[in-house]
Amino acid sequence: MTYLDELGLPDPPIAGDEILTLLGALERERATFAWKCSGLDEAGYRATVGASTLTLGALLKHLALVEDDYFSHRMEGRSPGKPWEDVDWDADPDWEWRTAADDPPEELLALWEAAVARSRATTDRILADGGFDRPAAGAGGDDGETPNIRRFLVDLIEEYSRHLGHADLIRESIDGVVGEDPPPGTTFAALR
């Protein structure tokens, strides 16, 4: 269940349990990211700031990969699926960053939205099968210890938080849009 704030945006509950708080925080990050990427054309998705080559399109593709890697591979031990399983990551470790400029905005957004939908379905399965205390079935920690699902969920929230800072700067450089909350009435296809 996702709680909505007074603007109708996802938000962690004020005094919720751990599961609702973590999932609410993740959904808020996703919604804010969706807003930062909304209403832009190809030029907007390819815009950069200063000397950086980072774009909103590349962030969309990267976060689609991160969603599939964390929820499929790391948490459940499955292949992250297409297009990720077809990439030679050893030969091209920055593939998602490099190739995003070749993809139309609609494809990038659809790729990310589909990854988010798969992640939500995986979350439902995890909650039905032991919750966040359950050990992850995929990649282990650097020390050989197997992380639990909770650890990967926190890592994913951190990943979104870091990239939202990038998205803020890029979006402001495009059209001056700033802030944490979109204007009232904004809707997102990526929300449940």
Side-chain angles (χ1 to χ4, degrees):
M1 157 148 263
T2 300
Y3 285 83
L4 303 178
D5 68 11
E6 63 279 357
L7 297 176
L9 300 171
D11 207 24
I14 296 299
D17 65 17
E18 178 190 40
I19 291 171
L20 292 177
T21 300
L22 288 172
L23 293 178
L26 178 57
E27 290 298 335
R28 179 176 56 198
E29 299 290 87
R30 286 171 172 158
T32 304
F33 183 70
W35 171 54
K36 294 295 177 175
C37 294
S38 68
L40 297 173
D41 59 12
E42 277 192 40
Y45 272 55
R46 292 181 179 158
T48 61
V49 175
S52 175
T53 60
L54 190 61
T55 67
L56 289 174
L59 285 171
L60 268 170
K61 198 164 191 176
H62 173 69
L63 287 171
L65 166 63
V66 170
E67 290 271 358
D68 281 333
D69 178 53
Y70 272 74
F71 281 92
S72 296
H73 176 67
R74 296 180 192 212
M75 291 183 191
E76 290 200 311
R78 299 183 281 112
S79 166
K82 294 195 176 293
W84 324 117
E85 66 189 9
D86 296 331
V87 177
D88 182 349
W89 293 103
D90 292 329
D92 196 357
D94 294 327
W95 180 83
E96 81 276 20
W97 299 106
R98 184 183 55 73
T99 61
D102 301 331
D103 300 329
E106 305 79 34
E107 286 182 23
L108 292 167
L109 188 57
L111 181 70
W112 177 72
E113 288 174 343
V116 168
R118 287 188 294 275
S119 295
R120 288 179 178 139
T122 298
T123 299
D124 291 343
R125 285 192 302 276
I126 288 168
L127 289 174
D129 187 32
F132 297 156
D133 288 330
R134 180 183 114 191
D142 293 336
D143 60 1
E145 190 175 346
T146 301
N148 62 20
I149 298 295
R150 178 184 302 101
R151 170 56 192 264
F152 284 137
L153 190 61
V154 170
D155 286 351
L156 187 64
I157 293 168
E158 179 186 24
E159 183 85 4
Y160 267 97
S161 296
R162 185 172 74 246
H163 290 313
L164 275 172
H166 301 132
D168 283 338
L169 293 172
I170 297 168
R171 184 62 190 247
E172 182 179 8
S173 78
I174 295 167
D175 59 9
V177 169
V178 296
E180 179 181 336
D181 294 322
T186 302
T187 60
F188 305 101
L191 299 181
R192 246 185 224 215

